[in-house]
Amino acid sequence: MKTVICILAIGFSFLWLSCTTALLMDASALREELGLERMPTPEDYPDVDGVILLDKQEIEMNLEANNDLFTYNKIHRIQKLFRNIEHNATVQIPLFEGESISDLHARTIRPDGSNVFLREQDVYTITGEAKGPVFYSDAKIVRFTFPAVEKGCILDYEYTKKTQRAFWYDVWKIQNYLPTMKDQYTLTIPLVLMDKQHGLGWTWRYKSYNYPGLPKPVQSPTNIYERMSNNGKVSFTWTLYDIPEFEREVNMPPQSMNMAYVKFSLSEWSSWDSIASWYYSNFFEPQLSSGDDIRQLSRELAANTTNEKEAIQSISKFVQGIRYVAVDLGPGFLQPSPPRLVLQRKYGDCKDKAALLVSMLHAVHINANPVLVLTASEGVLDPEFPTWNFNHMIVRTETRGHQVFWIDPTVNYCLIGQLPWQDEGIDVLVLHPDGTSSIEHTPNASCDQNVTDIDVSVQVDTSHDTHFDVRMSYTGEKNFRNRAFFNDYTEKELREFCKELIVDDFFNATIKNCSFTNSDSLACDLSLAFDFTVPDALKKQGDLYFLNIDPFKLFTDLSWLAKENRIYPIDLEYPYTIRKKISVVYPHDRFIVRNIPDKIQIKNDDLLYVNGFTSSGGFQLIEDETFSVQQPYIPAHKYGELRSLFEAVKSRSTEKLIFTRR
């Protein structure tokens, strides 16, 4: 699907911009705010692009018409840039459903002290962005780039964001990609909200992550009832200094597992049951359907099955086959579409398809529950701090014989009980119709369940042309991922796909035949077959002949291993195995094998690599190679061991068979 982006100059009512008004403070006032005798220099921060001088958030809550509760979040950031200025010169402000911003001011302070203000016509909003299947969304991004940016300049901007849903998904991000000299977060609440005597008693909770020793906020006034009136307010303020930058690494776990932040939540969400009851009764249950059309379709799909498992498989396959068009299950995107509408338009997002699947299974009296998920790529669910922190929905089913099956209705060609890696091995929230919930752990596939088998026959003829006959089969993750691709490939596209697999080693290869099998049958693994010929693959150097028999790399990019040391654990996403068997037949009456690489085996608790050759009949060599990621989450202290293993695998991949003439 092509990316669709609409960029419009801001002229809408949700943003009132006045770029020429005076900003908060001049250079001397800023130094006083930070307690500095002078501004920082590149010598003070030699390893980063710049420094955030001030990161300030002032959140004020207000009760407005009809007792609607709104928050006004005033954000003010000032940063000084030393190098790589273009990487830090653009600001993007996400706006979700019902949110708006106002009073946006921005300026660049040049090294000579002069100001260049952002113009109104240089602020844009981006809507309708599509990335893969993610398309329909009410989210907007307000974006602007600072003018006249140069090394040593200061970037200063502020704006106010208005939103209605306080503490559903609020986060104070303490740490940034640049070091921060001063970070201040203030929450101001009307006293009438917190007054239990008048029946409101509204309160909030918070928890810090990856920032031990967060102090309690300073409260003002200290006695919250000393100014009790219609306009009385109380403020809570945290002030932090000298926060180090967050250093990103390739193949690291989700940043939320290591970056310092504070998560907020409503006190009424003191248990997961309270969140489950709120969501199920207000958003999910009203959309469930038990109409005649749903019942009839469900019974037709289950008619030719012999047990509940087969009925679940038949119905889930139908729902999975409906086109997936995603709307993130985040701010503002809470309610699924009616199942009837999903059937009519033949597409839906995760919660749309989950509601349809639950409705259809209920129609044939099979137990099914919606499951709220924070996918593995985004972080982990904290069982001890209930709050809204989900981006996906799947379904849990259970037969009368207590067989449990997990189903992701967004993934086509996936058997019940199989999940994509983002859903595997994580804590999820299962919602029950009675308003209760349970945190359960989804099953985790093993490396033996995600297997790619590569079987190659290599024939060297007397003219030095080499013929390759390739058979590849996929089990698990690559199975249902590749089915979706291959099913829509034309013969030309499939041929190009096969060419891409070998082009790095055999640029002049000619693909002769290619096909795939079992693309529709979920009972069988997906198989890809093709053959190709490489002219002069047997390369002569002096009296020796070298032959590359394996263009199928276990991995291509090892640049992430360049660092000597590692800060964070290594996250290889999911366990998998690649098995290769390469049989080489050569004209033994003309060539003698001069060198066969020694057998190698490297094994630890996380990874396995085995490679060795055997000889058959005096003119055939067989190479067996296995690479297995048994534990995809590897602690940082094992980084050196990991580098050594990958280095050995890389070194072996460059070795070639060596022949001499008889």
Side-chain angles (χ1 to χ4, degrees):
M1 182 183 294
K2 294 182 179 179
T3 299
V4 179
I5 300 179
C6 178
I7 304 179
L8 301 174
I10 292 293
F12 303 116
S13 59
F14 70 82
L15 173 64
W16 176 73
L17 181 144
S18 177
C19 298
T20 57
T21 56
L23 290 176
L24 283 179
M25 56 188 74
D26 58 21
S28 60
L30 179 59
R31 288 198 304 272
E32 183 178 348
E33 168 89 9
L34 298 173
L36 298 176
E37 294 182 1
R38 61 173 178 81
M39 283 294 181
T41 66
E43 290 71 30
D44 298 320
Y45 295 91
D47 299 322
V48 294
D49 293 343
V51 59
I52 298 173
L53 305 173
L54 178 66
D55 199 358
K56 195 171 187 178
Q57 291 189 63
E58 298 175 344
I59 294 89
E60 183 165 356
M61 307 185 67
N62 279 323
L63 276 174
E64 299 187 2
N66 300 320
N67 283 328
D68 288 336
L69 181 61
F70 286 89
T71 62
Y72 294 83
N73 187 354
K74 184 177 181 180
I75 295 172
H76 185 208
R77 175 175 288 189
I78 308 173
Q79 60 189 36
K80 185 172 183 179
L81 299 185
F82 305 135
R83 60 186 69 85
N84 291 325
I85 55 176
E86 291 304 324
H87 295 173
N88 302 279
T90 298
V91 175
Q92 294 196 138
I93 306 168
L95 292 177
F96 299 104
E97 182 189 33
E99 292 184 336
S100 61
I101 66 172
S102 61
D103 298 332
L104 171 61
H105 313 284
R107 65 174 174 174
T108 301
I109 306 175
R110 289 172 165 165
D112 63 7
S114 61
N115 293 295
V116 181
F117 290 91
L118 178 70
R119 302 184 308 164
E120 180 176 353
Q121 58 265 40
D122 291 333
V123 181
Y124 303 90
T125 183
I126 304 171
T127 63
E129 184 173 5
K131 297 178 180 179
V134 181
F135 183 64
Y136 296 113
S137 172
D138 289 334
K140 300 180 179 67
I141 295 176
V142 174
R143 183 168 69 185
F144 64 88
T145 296
F146 285 92
V149 176
E150 58 183 292
K151 291 182 179 180
C153 70
I154 293 175
L155 307 182
D156 185 0
Y157 71 95
E158 69 175 15
Y159 63 90
T160 299
K161 178 187 286 189
K162 179 182 178 181
T163 185
Q164 185 171 8
R165 298 186 174 104
F167 300 116
W168 282 21
Y169 34 77
D170 293 72
V171 172
W172 166 28
K173 190 167 72 172
I174 295 175
Q175 205 168 18
N176 292 281
Y177 302 122
L178 296 177
T180 304
M181 298 187 70
K182 181 177 180 179
D183 190 351
Q184 189 170 85
Y185 189 95
T186 298
L187 172 64
T188 300
I189 303 172
L191 286 175
V192 68
L193 270 180
M194 305 180 70
D195 181 27
K196 295 182 180 180
Q197 182 179 354
H198 291 79
L200 294 177
W202 187 93
T203 54
W204 48 281
R205 301 174 297 120
Y206 69 92
K207 183 176 181 178
S208 66
Y209 294 86
N210 309 310
Y211 194 87
L214 180 74
K216 291 185 177 181
V218 175
Q219 182 178 305
S220 176
T222 55
N223 180 353
I224 65 171
Y225 293 104
E226 69 183 27
R227 295 192 316 170
M228 188 64 189
S229 69
N230 290 336
N231 297 319
K233 296 181 179 180
V234 59
S235 294
F236 303 87
T237 301
W238 287 271
T239 305
L240 307 176
Y241 295 93
D242 298 325
I243 302 163
E245 72 277 7
F246 182 78
E247 184 176 344
R248 288 170 283 193
E249 290 182 324
V250 180
N251 289 344
M252 68 177 294
Q255 294 183 14
S256 62
M257 297 177 64
N258 296 284
M259 181 180 275
Y261 66 98
V262 175
K263 182 74 177 172
F264 296 90
S265 184
L266 298 168
S267 285
E268 64 189 74
W269 285 351
S270 58
S271 70
W272 287 109
D273 283 354
S274 59
I275 292 179
S277 176
W278 165 81
Y279 180 76
Y280 193 89
S281 61
N282 289 290
F283 298 98
F284 192 84
E285 187 176 34
Q287 301 301 88
L288 293 179
S289 175
S290 58
D292 291 341
D293 51 348
I294 298 292
R295 282 195 297 270
Q296 181 178 347
L297 177 58
S298 304
R299 290 167 182 169
E300 289 174 357
L301 290 168
N304 295 322
T305 62
T306 60
N307 54 52
E308 282 184 293
K309 179 180 178 181
E310 291 182 4
I312 295 170
Q313 181 66 71
S314 177
I315 293 173
S316 65
K317 182 181 179 181
F318 171 81
V319 176
Q320 288 170 330
I322 293 174
R323 186 162 58 98
Y324 172 49
V325 179
V327 176
D328 290 339
L329 189 62
F333 312 120
L334 297 170
Q335 190 153 32
S337 302
R340 226 180 249 105
L341 179 59
V342 178
L343 290 175
Q344 178 183 347
R345 65 190 184 189
K346 293 182 172 59
Y347 71 78
D349 65 10
C350 63
K351 57 190 179 295
D352 297 340
K353 299 182 76 173
L356 173 61
L357 180 56
V358 169
S359 295
M360 294 182 71
L361 291 173
H362 285 178
V364 292
H365 309 293
I366 293 175
N367 183 38
N369 300 86
V371 181
L372 291 170
V373 175
L374 179 65
T375 54
S377 57
E378 295 299 318
V380 295
L381 189 68
D382 182 358
E384 298 179 357
F385 190 74
T387 189
W388 185 260
N389 192 26
F390 306 101
N391 68 329
H392 192 42
M393 182 180 286
I394 62 176
V395 173
R396 179 191 185 276
T397 67
E398 185 173 353
T399 67
R400 295 182 185 88
H402 303 296
Q403 273 189 295
V404 174
F405 298 105
W406 300 87
I407 305 168
D408 189 327
T410 69
V411 181
N412 209 348
Y413 309 111
C414 188
L415 289 166
I416 61 171
Q418 291 183 330
L419 292 171
W421 71 267
Q422 296 96 331
D423 300 342
E424 287 185 327
I426 58 175
D427 287 335
V428 296
L429 189 67
V430 181
L431 309 183
H432 304 292
D434 62 0
T436 62
S437 65
S438 56
I439 293 180
E440 299 188 31
H441 200 72
T442 59
N444 210 355
S446 69
C447 59
D448 296 327
Q449 294 172 302
N450 294 314
V451 180
T452 299
D453 277 302
I454 304 173
D455 196 325
V456 185
S457 295
V458 183
Q459 176 76 52
V460 183
D461 65 22
T462 55
S463 66
H464 296 185
D465 285 354
T466 304
H467 308 280
F468 292 76
D469 191 354
V470 181
R471 298 290 183 271
M472 307 177 74
S473 65
Y474 307 96
T475 302
E477 182 76 23
K478 287 289 185 68
N479 184 359
F480 50 79
R481 185 184 298 181
N482 284 341
R483 284 180 193 271
F485 294 135
F486 292 167
N487 247 7
D488 288 329
Y489 274 178
T490 64
E491 182 178 348
K492 178 182 177 183
E493 289 171 331
L494 187 62
R495 189 178 297 271
E496 290 173 350
F497 174 84
C498 295
K499 180 74 171 182
E500 289 172 3
L501 293 176
I502 63 173
V503 70
D504 287 345
D505 288 81
F506 301 131
F507 185 79
N508 58 343
T510 301
I511 304 289
K512 293 187 175 180
N513 301 287
C514 53
S515 62
F516 61 89
T517 58
N518 301 325
S519 62
D520 291 319
S521 174
L522 298 183
C524 302
D525 294 337
L526 176 69
S527 297
L528 171 66
F530 65 100
D531 58 88
F532 61 95
T533 298
V534 181
D536 297 319
L538 201 60
K539 303 295 184 183
K540 184 179 180 182
Q541 295 183 20
D543 295 332
L544 303 178
Y545 293 82
F546 297 84
L547 178 63
N548 179 13
I549 62 173
D550 183 11
F552 304 104
K553 301 296 184 290
L554 297 174
F555 24 76
T556 54
D557 183 12
L558 294 180
S559 60
W560 61 277
L561 292 168
K563 294 178 61 176
E564 292 294 328
N565 298 296
R566 181 89 182 185
I567 302 173
Y568 304 111
I570 301 97
D571 188 354
L572 300 178
E573 295 184 347
Y574 62 90
Y576 65 90
T577 296
I578 300 175
R579 293 193 296 245
K580 288 192 272 187
K581 181 178 182 179
I582 303 178
S583 303
V584 184
V585 178
Y586 58 94
H588 61 287
D589 57 335
R590 300 183 61 183
F591 294 100
I592 299 173
V593 177
R594 172 73 176 269
N595 178 69
I596 299 176
D598 294 332
K599 182 174 182 178
I600 181 174
Q601 177 172 322
I602 306 173
K603 182 180 181 180
N604 59 26
D605 294 337
D606 309 305
L607 302 171
L608 168 70
Y609 179 69
V610 179
N611 185 293
F613 285 81
T614 58
S615 179
S616 174
F619 58 89
Q620 183 180 29
L621 291 174
I622 300 174
E623 179 186 16
D624 288 292
E625 183 178 36
T626 298
F627 178 75
S628 182
V629 175
Q630 299 170 327
Q631 299 291 339
Y633 193 84
I634 303 172
H637 71 266
K638 289 188 175 183
Y639 177 63
E641 184 180 345
L642 181 76
R643 288 184 78 206
S644 298
L645 187 146
F646 274 80
E647 182 182 2
V649 176
K650 181 68 174 177
S651 176
R652 186 54 172 263
S653 69
T654 62
E655 294 184 5
K656 297 176 174 60
L657 289 179
I658 304 176
F659 298 87
T660 58
R661 278 193 175 275
R662 283 190 180 275

